[in-house]
Amino acid sequence: MNSVPKSRLATLVAAMLALVLAATALVLVLADVATTSAAPVNEGQQLASPPAKLAADRRQGAGAAGRSRATANPLYKTGRLTDVNCAPGALPAGSMVAYRRFLTRVTFCLNKAWAAQFRKAKMPFAKPRLRIITRKIKTPCGAWNTGADGVYCSTDRTMYLMISKSQLRNPFPLGITRLIAHEYGHHVQQVSGIWTYYWAARSVAGKAKRLQLSRNSELQAECFSAVFMSTMRGTPLVTDADWAYTVGWFRKNGAKGWPQNDHGRGPTQAAWMTRGFNRGTPGSCNTWAANPRNVT
C-alpha cells in the first residue's frame, strides 16, 4: 500500500477535525433550542421593602389583629376569580415589540380580574406598574438577584420583567404568563394587607421562622398565579398538556434556585399550583392558615 504524504495526511486530519467540531456545535445549538423553548420561565425572587410605617406598626402588625389580615383576608371569601376572557394573542419569536405587547395585554387582564375581586371583597384596589427590561438593574428595593427573571418591588409597586435573548428567541407564552401572574400575586398581597403581617412578623422572627414566612408568601403568590391561569384553561395559551408540563417541571426543579428553602420544595410548589388551578379561588391559596407541613 502506498503511503500518504505527510502534508496531505495533515490536511485530511484537519478537515476531519473541522467536521467533528461543526457537528458538535450543531448539537449544542439544537440542545439549547430544545431547552429554552420548552422550559418554563424561572420564577423570580421578589425584591420587596417593608411598608414605610413598619416601625410604628410592628407590634400591631405581628399580633393577632395583624395576622388576621393574612389568615382571614376578605379576598378569601370572594369565590372564583373573575374570568375576563383574557386573550393576549400570539408571541412570535425574535420580536421585543411583540413581547412588550403580550406582557402589557396580560397585565391588563390581571388588572381587570383582580380589580373585580377586590370589589367583591369591598376593598380598595390600585394597579401595579409594569416595567420590561433586557438587563439587570437596581430597583428601589435593591440590587437585582442572580437568576431572577421577574421581581416585584413594594416600594414603587412595580413588576419588573426581564426578557433575555434566549427567551426572545424561543418564547414560552404560558411560562412568561405564569411568571408575571406570580409577581402580580405579590402585589395582591401588598395592597390587600397580607404583606403588612408578613413584614411585621418577619422583623421579629428568627431565621427558621423567616424562612417559613417567606414560603407562606411565595407559595401563596404561586397559587394566586395558578388561579389566574385557570381562567384561561383550555385556550391556546393554557392547554392541558402545557400546564401539566409546567407543573411537572416545578415539581422536579422548582426548589433548585432557592437553596435556603425560602420558596418551598418542588413538590410543595407543584401542590399549591395544582390547588389554585383546580379550584380557581383566592381562598384556596390561604397558605397562612395551612398546616405547616403543607408549606415546607
Side-chain angles (χ1 to χ4, degrees):
M1 180 180 293
N2 295 330
S3 61
V4 179
K6 291 184 178 180
S7 59
R8 186 178 178 186
L9 180 60
T11 300
L12 289 173
V13 170
M16 292 178 65
L17 180 60
L19 287 173
V20 170
L21 291 175
T24 302
L26 178 59
V27 170
L28 291 175
V29 169
L30 291 176
D32 180 65
V33 169
T35 300
T36 56
S37 63
V41 175
N42 291 335
E43 175 191 339
Q45 170 79 38
Q46 101 279 3
L47 302 177
S49 63
K53 296 182 180 180
L54 176 60
D57 295 343
R58 180 174 294 173
R59 282 176 295 182
Q60 180 181 359
R67 189 173 188 275
S68 68
R69 294 187 181 187
T71 60
N73 197 278
L75 279 176
Y76 300 154
K77 298 181 179 180
T78 55
R80 294 190 68 86
L81 188 69
T82 302
D83 186 349
V84 295
N85 297 315
C86 188
L91 182 55
S95 172
M96 181 57 72
V97 172
Y99 234 117
R100 291 180 182 276
R101 181 173 60 245
F102 183 88
L103 291 174
T104 299
R105 288 174 175 173
V106 171
T107 302
F108 178 75
C109 294
L110 284 159
N111 286 336
K112 288 181 65 178
W114 283 107
Q117 217 67 16
F118 273 71
R119 285 195 296 271
K120 293 179 187 178
K122 296 181 172 56
M123 297 171 65
F125 177 77
K127 302 174 184 177
R129 298 181 182 90
L130 171 66
R131 184 173 175 185
I132 301 169
I133 57 178
T134 56
R135 59 181 177 82
K136 298 176 183 179
I137 64 171
K138 183 177 181 181
T139 76
C141 292
W144 191 273
N145 280 24
T146 302
D149 287 319
V151 299
Y152 173 75
C153 177
S154 62
T155 298
D156 59 357
R157 296 190 174 187
T158 298
M159 302 182 299
Y160 295 83
L161 273 294
M162 184 169 68
I163 307 304
S164 67
K165 291 181 180 179
S166 62
Q167 292 164 7
L168 191 63
R169 290 195 305 267
N170 301 284
F172 181 39
L174 187 152
I176 192 67
T177 303
R178 183 216 62 82
L179 172 64
I180 193 170
H182 174 99
E183 302 308 332
Y184 204 103
H186 287 311
H187 179 69
V188 170
Q189 293 171 324
Q190 171 74 14
V191 296
S192 66
I194 293 172
W195 259 7
T196 299
Y197 168 71
Y198 169 63
W199 283 113
R202 184 182 174 90
S203 69
V204 297
K207 181 179 179 180
K209 181 61 176 178
R210 286 198 302 271
L211 289 174
Q212 179 68 66
L213 290 166
S214 177
R215 291 194 295 271
N216 287 130
S217 176
E218 293 297 336
L219 291 169
Q220 182 175 57
E222 195 59 52
C223 184
F224 281 162
S225 172
V227 166
F228 174 71
M229 301 301 289
S230 74
T231 66
M232 296 178 286
R233 185 173 191 170
T235 67
L237 178 61
V238 187
T239 66
D240 288 343
D242 280 351
W243 179 252
Y245 167 78
T246 301
V247 174
W249 187 93
F250 274 90
R251 182 178 292 108
K252 295 178 181 178
N253 306 290
K256 291 182 179 178
W258 321 111
Q260 291 188 348
N261 192 22
D262 53 358
H263 280 58
R265 297 180 298 112
T268 307
Q269 293 179 33
W272 283 98
M273 292 172 74
T274 300
R275 181 183 176 94
F277 191 75
N278 288 344
R279 300 191 183 187
T281 66
S284 65
C285 301
N286 189 356
T287 57
W288 307 94
N291 189 310
R293 290 179 299 179
N294 296 327
V295 194
T296 59

